[in-house]
Amino acid sequence: MVLLRAPSPLAPGVLSAAEETGVAVVLADLEASWSHLTGLAYGLVLEGRETESGRGPTDLFALADTLAAAVARPVVIEDQLSRVLAYSTAEGAVDAVRSQTILGRRLPDAVRAVFAERGVFSHLAASDVPLYVAPSPSHGLGGRIVVAVRAGRELLGSLWVESAEPCDDQQRRVLEDGARTAALHLLRSRASADLERQVESDLVTRLLEGSGDAQAMISQLGLSSTGLRVVALQAHVDDEQHAGALLVFEHVTTGFGWSRLGRSALFATTVYTVLPSGDDAVGARRWVETVRAALPSHIALVAGIGAPSEPMSLPASRREADESLALHAARPDAPAAVYDESWDRILLRRLRSIAADGRVPTRGPVAELRRHDELHGTRYIETLRAWLGAHGDVAVTAAQLDVHPNTVRYRLRKINGATHLAVDEPEQRLAMIIALAATEHDQD
């Protein structure tokens, strides 16, 4: 789609070119400012539908312009995570931080750290009085006046005004009134968004639990019926899982359904998203990385991705996502775990879980050799594991253990004397491999 500010009607060549290439053309009046058009697009795509009162989130841009005119300075309205909700039309020069904040839709992390160090966020959490923040030239930051946007005791966001000096009494009254008005807008927008989130979450929950008509629910959610994956997400904020999960859920459910790739539900401390990803896990991993990038840098995100599924098999994909999530939680620096690539490690975790419950036989070659090692300080289990892994090749076993092949042969004779290995029976060899894997400590 192309948005143009141009005289009406457009030249015939423009329309014919658009028709040939399949590009939609939206013509805006020359009197409409680019900031106003940007505000409309941002509000419609990223902030959801209008509320029942008929006033949508684009009102925040009008409010920002009104406040900027009243205090004669540029204004930015942010949410509680320092993400940009609206901003005024800037007149004249603006500092680098304002430009970076608007372009990135969020306060830069380096500047956020400066504000945290100066106690700005602590002030916003505790007070409704406007605060002056002195400039920081090394960060490209001019002076700021900031005031909390609050509903009751809950901090919803903040108003930021570029200013070289603290506000006077008249400006203070304007900003305090503006903060109260912004709070009403945010509460209306939240009420509308929360209703949509609840409907979506209920449908996703039923899909993942396997209740109801899966195909009908997929259609209601506006998803395709093939190549679906369940992604499980957990986030930690200073060891607090609940706060992290709420932030992730808010992010992945923001905006119109058609503007988002997946559909999500929140279960305790885990966010589950049904994602149209296809057979290739690259798209799912890329989506996880976009979620990670959108969160503040101090939030740790881990994720597990289930195998491709049809609507009826989404409960199985959810279980796979849970087990993949456990793998990634053990190695959070690695990429998100995908069931297709990690099923072997997941199988071993299942076997170890069975062993931990005491469901592995306490007698037999592996159990007897383990007891022998504990009593006599031998290394028979290590030798048996290497020998089985080498498919009975003594030379390969010796190289792996860094011993002479005769040492391996000697140990095998001693092992066979301690317990009957039945090495010529494939099923028993397989059973020993499984028993060894099930009783090893989880290395994931």
Side-chain angles (χ1 to χ4, degrees):
M1 183 182 76
V2 175
L3 175 63
L4 299 175
R5 286 174 63 222
S8 180
L10 290 173
V14 175
L15 293 177
S16 60
E19 290 176 357
E20 290 176 4
T21 56
V23 175
V25 178
V26 178
L27 180 62
D29 192 280
L30 283 172
E31 298 297 321
S33 68
W34 280 117
S35 63
H36 178 65
L37 295 172
T38 302
L40 287 172
Y42 178 71
L44 287 172
V45 174
L46 297 180
E47 295 297 331
R49 298 178 178 85
E50 291 189 347
T51 62
E52 291 182 359
S53 66
R55 303 185 67 181
T58 53
D59 286 336
L60 283 175
F61 284 87
L63 175 61
D65 280 334
T66 300
L67 291 174
V71 297
R73 289 172 173 82
V75 171
V76 173
I77 303 175
E78 299 178 1
D79 67 7
Q80 71 272 32
L81 295 178
S82 301
R83 295 178 301 197
V84 174
L85 299 176
Y87 50 89
S88 63
T89 303
E91 297 291 343
V94 295
D95 64 33
V97 170
R98 175 184 168 89
S99 300
Q100 293 167 12
T101 300
I102 291 174
L103 289 174
R105 294 296 184 191
R106 189 172 64 190
L107 188 68
D109 287 339
V111 179
R112 183 180 172 87
V114 171
F115 288 160
E117 183 179 345
R118 295 185 181 183
V120 174
F121 299 115
S122 298
H123 174 87
L124 291 175
S127 175
D128 294 332
V129 176
L131 172 70
Y132 181 68
V133 183
S136 177
S138 62
H139 292 90
L141 174 70
R144 292 287 192 277
I145 302 168
V146 59
V147 59
V149 175
R150 198 185 316 277
R153 296 183 178 180
E154 182 182 2
L155 182 65
L156 301 177
S158 52
L159 290 178
W160 296 82
V161 179
E162 288 190 53
S163 179
E165 56 191 19
C167 59
D168 56 30
D169 288 343
Q170 180 181 355
Q171 291 172 332
R172 177 180 56 79
R173 286 191 294 271
V174 169
L175 293 177
E176 289 175 345
D177 289 343
R180 285 189 287 270
T181 304
L184 293 176
H185 288 312
L186 294 180
L187 286 173
R188 279 194 294 266
S189 179
R190 175 188 287 186
S192 176
D194 284 348
L195 178 59
E196 294 176 4
R197 285 189 178 112
Q198 186 61 52
V199 172
E200 176 179 322
S201 185
D202 287 345
L203 288 170
V204 172
T205 299
R206 292 172 63 194
L207 274 173
L208 300 186
E209 291 178 343
S211 61
D213 186 336
Q215 191 61 57
M217 288 186 286
I218 285 292
S219 179
Q220 284 181 268
L221 289 167
L223 295 174
S224 63
S225 57
T226 58
L228 299 169
R229 291 178 183 264
V230 176
V231 182
L233 302 164
Q234 287 184 349
H236 304 266
V237 184
D238 298 327
D239 297 325
E240 172 55 60
Q241 284 186 307
H242 292 280
L246 290 172
L247 291 175
V248 172
F249 183 64
E250 180 183 359
H251 170 74
V252 300
T253 55
T254 296
F256 281 132
W258 47 259
S259 71
R260 292 186 280 111
L261 190 58
R263 304 292 182 269
S264 304
L266 177 61
F267 287 63
T269 61
T270 304
V271 175
Y272 293 97
T273 297
V274 179
L275 203 66
S277 176
D279 294 335
D280 192 343
V282 173
R285 273 211 174 108
R286 187 181 300 118
W287 179 81
V288 170
E289 289 308 310
T290 63
V291 175
R292 188 194 310 277
L295 297 173
S297 57
H298 65 282
I299 296 179
L301 182 74
V302 292
I305 302 170
S309 301
E310 303 298 318
M312 291 293 292
S313 57
L314 284 173
S317 186
R318 177 201 171 180
R319 290 189 293 271
E320 295 162 356
D322 282 333
E323 292 182 297
S324 300
L325 178 69
L327 288 181
H328 193 215
R331 294 179 178 176
D333 294 334
V338 180
Y339 181 82
D340 321 27
E341 305 166 1
S342 308
W343 67 269
D344 53 337
R345 291 192 290 154
I346 289 171
L347 175 59
L348 293 178
R349 288 179 70 96
R350 291 180 184 177
L351 291 173
R352 289 161 188 155
S353 177
I354 291 172
D357 290 342
R359 288 180 283 170
V360 170
T362 57
R363 292 193 291 180
V366 172
E368 291 167 5
L369 288 179
R370 199 177 296 282
R371 282 193 291 269
H372 191 283
D373 282 352
E374 292 172 355
L375 288 173
H376 303 287
T378 52
R379 301 171 65 181
Y380 293 164
I381 284 292
E382 178 188 21
T383 302
L384 178 63
R385 186 192 307 109
W387 181 72
L388 289 170
H391 304 290
D393 189 314
V394 172
V396 173
T397 305
Q400 182 175 335
L401 296 175
D402 196 22
V403 299
H404 194 276
N406 287 338
T407 302
V408 174
R409 295 186 183 95
Y410 171 78
R411 289 182 185 175
L412 289 174
R413 288 195 298 272
K414 299 294 289 185
I415 289 171
N416 204 43
T419 182
H420 182 53
L421 291 182
V423 294
D424 295 329
E425 298 180 24
E427 290 186 356
Q428 287 211 22
R429 290 174 65 133
L430 175 60
M432 285 190 288
I433 292 172
I434 294 173
L436 283 168
T439 52
E440 289 298 304
H441 294 298
D442 191 349
Q443 300 301 312
D444 296 320

